[in-house]
Amino acid sequence: MEKTVPIRSICVYCGSQPGRDPAYIAAGRALGKSIAAHGLRLVYGGGTKGIMGAVAAGVLANGGEVTGIIPEFLVDMEATRHSLGQLNELIVTKDMHERKHKMFERSDAFVTLPGGIGTLEEIVEIMTWGQLGRHEKPMVFANIGGFWDPMLSLVNHMRAEGFIHRANLVQPLIIPDVDDIVPAIIERDEITASSKGEDAVISRL
């Protein structure tokens, strides 16, 4: 089980494309601003285009710090080398597997903005690791304009059909308003820390 620590960094999964609704890019920038305002570090996939670029720009424009983690083969597809130079920390990995593992290691919480198959695959893996008891880090679906409703319906269907046996370990927060995301993560973390403290006291009695 990955030990819980105070929230210092937030991993954001999102599209390298802007999407059709301008609200997606706006949400990316707003989330980045909120991360910086709370003194937290952004960990993300290193792209400087689309929603990924908007989140990073939102953090950097507001004095926050950004760690980008990107595989070599995606550098020229999802970013420009000049833009990558603006990040506080850049980690170039040999493949997607190493990228995902490093993103997990360096993050204390996970937020998923709108995105495509890659974005979906990333958050599903984190949910899987949670179900297997590998971590207790907060997970959030930023449900901008109901974007994630079909995915959440599928998860509920899986649960109802008996395929999510440890549902208590797979409880992502569903938050439609981007300004509520970071405060909710911090609150969830404080509640978890408090309950663990109480359990420790009880175990000594």
Side-chain angles (χ1 to χ4, degrees):
M1 172 71 71
E2 188 82 8
K3 289 184 178 179
T4 54
V5 297
I7 300 296
R8 298 165 301 191
S9 59
I10 294 179
C11 177
V12 176
Y13 300 128
C14 58
S16 59
Q17 302 296 318
R20 291 181 176 171
D21 189 337
Y24 302 152
I25 288 286
R29 289 201 191 98
L31 179 59
K33 180 179 180 180
S34 182
I35 289 171
H38 286 85
L40 304 176
R41 173 180 283 268
L42 168 67
V43 177
Y44 85 122
T48 58
K49 302 174 182 178
I51 303 173
M52 293 176 80
V55 178
V59 175
L60 293 170
N62 290 278
E65 297 199 337
V66 176
T67 293
I69 304 176
I70 189 169
E72 177 65 41
F73 78 94
L74 280 181
V75 167
D76 294 314
M77 290 173 59
E78 294 188 351
T80 65
R81 292 180 188 268
H82 171 74
S83 297
L84 288 172
Q86 310 303 308
L87 305 181
N88 301 99
E89 181 183 25
L90 175 65
I91 300 170
V92 179
T93 64
K94 64 180 183 293
D95 55 34
M96 294 290 283
H97 180 77
E98 183 185 3
R99 175 207 221 177
K100 290 191 294 182
H101 192 69
K102 286 188 178 296
M103 289 172 77
F104 174 79
E105 285 181 329
R106 287 172 170 261
S107 305
D108 301 320
F110 304 91
V111 176
T112 306
L113 285 164
I117 295 171
T119 302
L120 178 62
E121 187 260 349
E122 288 171 318
I123 190 59
V124 167
E125 184 166 56
I126 293 300
M127 291 169 68
T128 302
W129 291 353
Q131 180 178 242
L132 294 173
R134 303 306 300 164
H135 76 91
E136 293 181 345
K137 300 176 182 181
M139 300 173 284
V140 177
F141 279 94
N143 201 23
I144 311 303
F147 180 86
W148 289 112
D149 284 350
M151 165 66 181
L152 299 170
S153 294
L154 177 59
V155 172
N156 288 332
H157 174 66
M158 292 173 179
R159 183 178 288 114
E161 292 298 317
F163 290 104
I164 301 180
H165 299 294
R166 305 176 78 189
N168 61 304
L169 299 177
V170 187
Q171 294 183 323
L173 299 169
I174 316 302
I175 304 177
D177 189 335
V178 74
D179 291 332
D180 294 336
I181 291 174
V182 177
I185 288 172
I186 293 171
E187 181 181 4
R188 163 70 71 89
D189 181 62
E190 290 172 346
I191 290 172
T192 301
S194 176
S195 65
K196 283 183 177 295
E198 291 171 2
D199 290 345
V201 170
I202 291 171
S203 70
R204 291 198 298 268
L205 295 178

